[in-house]
Amino acid sequence: MSRSWINQKERSTGFWLRTIVWIALRLGRPIARALLYPITAYFLIFADRARQASAAYLTHIFGRPPSGRELFRHYHTFAEALLDRVFVFAERDEFFQIRMHGFDVLERLIADRQGFLLVGAHVGSFEILRGLGLRHRGLSVKALVYGENSPKINAIFRTLNPDLFKDIIPVGTASALLGLDEHIANGGVVALLGDRSVHGEKRVLCRFLGEDAWFPAAPVLLANLFKAPVILFFCLHKGGADYDVHFELLAERIECSRKNRDEKIRAFMQHYADRLEHYCRQAPYNWFNFYDFWDKSDSTDEQRTSDALSPEMARNFEPRRASANRGSPAS
């Protein structure tokens, strides 16, 4: 997968972001939504790389080049989801209509106080789910994220609700996994998005929308380390204030030996890619990866060692995992 997403420059300015947030919270969502039309038009005209990426994705979805109206709708759906984050973080969420599908999969694990991995994608709104769907049910969710490529936006969201950022864990540091084993052993949830990776980590080619694309191995490798169930989730914006949240069981447990690790990673991540494609086709304008997703440069990455975690991270993680397992209810 291309490294371009993490290096892509943020086009927004702090002043206009603060202005739209002020309008949304002081004057209301209808007025703020009306302003999204000229904002969407601006980015559609001037954000060349993102527009090209949108066109490439919609071409894969529709089997033909998209119209200008379809490109606009793609951008506008993203803008609406971004605006709704403001209300989620400000805890002004009374008007959202959120329908849960497959929540019985989670209810069983919650009743058994069993922790699990929650694997989503840059489809719809992860924040809606984290801020509303799970927070209101008393679940403790820690989110693994890559380095920010939208610092101005995230800084404003942190100001609105610092509590929702306390459980965000940046990926790529030696201490990233410390304590997550205990968190899961105590019935907690670790969430991550499985449709982006960075150069240098283990990744595999999967078939997605008719063409091979890079997917990270991290969801499978973490499931193997934690010995925890893996639940897929997709939170789709259906228009207005309506969201559909879907949960699916990917695996009760994933165990990979060194002998079959690559094969297991490929099989599970292909299943993930298949389900991602299903939901992209169900809600095509909810895909928010505005970069060249099918860029297969640096193909040597697939031949890298299957140990996606650095030796330092692995050394820091293993003792804590052994200790937690001895004292956990699941031992």
Side-chain angles (χ1 to χ4, degrees), residues 3-39:
R3 285 172 280 176
S4 61
W5 74 266
I6 206 165
N7 295 322
Q8 196 161 299
K9 292 183 178 180
E10 187 179 26
R11 295 187 64 91
S12 52
T13 67
F15 170 77
W16 287 113
L17 286 170
R18 289 190 296 272
T19 299
I20 194 71
V21 168
W22 186 91
I23 290 172
L25 297 180
R26 298 297 180 88
L27 302 183
R29 188 168 180 264
I31 293 177
R33 287 188 71 205
L35 292 175
L36 294 182
Y37 288 95
I39 292 172

Side-chain angles (χ1 to χ4, degrees), residues 147-202:
E148 298 176 357
N149 67 328
S150 300
K152 296 173 186 175
I153 293 175
N154 286 316
I156 289 176
F157 290 149
R158 278 194 183 90
T159 301
L160 289 173
N161 195 333
D163 287 342
L164 279 178
F165 284 83
K166 288 180 180 177
D167 289 327
I168 288 182
I169 302 169
V171 175
T173 63
S175 61
L177 299 182
L178 288 179
L180 292 186
D181 49 339
E182 296 177 57
H183 178 70
I184 287 183
N186 291 325
V189 180
V190 173
L192 68 156
L193 303 181
D195 57 341
R196 288 185 189 175
S197 65
V198 295
H199 177 71
E201 73 171 13
K202 175 67 180 177

Side-chain angles (χ1 to χ4, degrees), residues 42-300:
Y42 171 84
F43 280 97
L44 185 61
I45 293 170
F46 294 106
D48 294 339
R49 290 176 62 188
R51 184 178 64 252
Q52 292 167 8
S54 172
Y57 160 71
L58 292 175
T59 298
H60 280 84
I61 280 284
F62 298 138
R64 56 168 175 77
S67 66
R69 183 185 184 90
E70 289 165 335
L71 285 169
F72 185 92
R73 184 175 176 184
H74 190 197
Y75 268 75
H76 190 264
T77 302
F78 172 65
E80 283 190 296
L82 197 61
L83 175 64
D84 284 345
R85 290 191 207 176
V86 172
F87 296 98
V88 171
F89 291 143
E91 298 186 358
R92 300 266 296 275
D93 49 48
E94 62 279 355
F95 55 84
F96 285 114
Q97 299 294 321
I98 301 176
R99 294 173 292 272
M100 297 285 189
H101 306 274
F103 194 75
D104 57 304
V105 175
L106 270 67
E107 286 180 324
R108 173 176 59 84
L109 298 174
I110 295 168
D112 294 339
R113 293 188 57 80
Q114 184 175 6
F116 54 90
L117 282 177
L118 199 58
V119 183
H122 291 83
V123 172
S125 179
F126 171 53
E127 287 77 12
I128 289 286
L129 176 64
R130 187 161 62 94
L132 301 177
L134 295 181
R135 175 165 58 87
H136 290 176
R137 286 168 170 77
L139 283 179
S140 176
V141 182
K142 293 185 181 294
L144 288 170
V145 301
Y146 289 107
E148 298 176 357
N149 67 328
S150 300
K152 296 173 186 175
I153 293 175
N154 286 316
I156 289 176
F157 290 149
R158 278 194 183 90
T159 301
L160 289 173
N161 195 333
D163 287 342
L164 279 178
F165 284 83
K166 288 180 180 177
D167 289 327
I168 288 182
I169 302 169
V171 175
T173 63
S175 61
L177 299 182
L178 288 179
L180 292 186
D181 49 339
E182 296 177 57
H183 178 70
I184 287 183
N186 291 325
V189 180
V190 173
L192 68 156
L193 303 181
D195 57 341
R196 288 185 189 175
S197 65
V198 295
H199 177 71
E201 73 171 13
K202 175 67 180 177
R203 57 189 187 172
V204 293
L205 281 172
C206 298
R207 200 71 176 169
F208 177 65
L209 292 174
E211 188 177 348
D212 288 343
W214 288 115
F215 284 83
V220 180
L221 291 169
L222 288 174
N224 180 56
L225 284 173
F226 295 139
K227 308 304 180 192
V230 182
I231 307 297
L232 302 182
F233 76 92
F234 301 93
C235 183
L236 307 178
H237 183 217
K238 306 299 286 186
D242 293 348
Y243 285 85
D244 281 349
V245 183
H246 298 265
F247 299 98
E248 297 183 8
L249 178 68
L250 176 66
E252 288 282 0
R253 187 164 176 155
I254 296 176
E255 294 191 65
C256 306
S257 66
R258 286 196 174 273
K259 183 178 179 180
N260 69 359
R261 181 173 293 177
D262 286 349
E263 180 183 344
K264 283 284 185 74
I265 290 171
R266 225 175 246 104
F268 279 106
M269 291 312 298
Q270 182 59 62
H271 180 53
Y272 168 87
D274 291 342
R275 299 312 295 158
L276 175 60
E277 177 171 333
H278 168 81
Y279 287 105
C280 283
R281 292 193 182 280
Q282 187 179 114
Y285 298 105
N286 273 242
W287 171 259
F288 302 145
N289 278 315
F290 293 101
Y291 68 98
D292 185 2
F293 192 80
W294 288 270
D295 178 11
K296 291 180 285 295
S297 60
D298 294 326
S299 59
T300 54

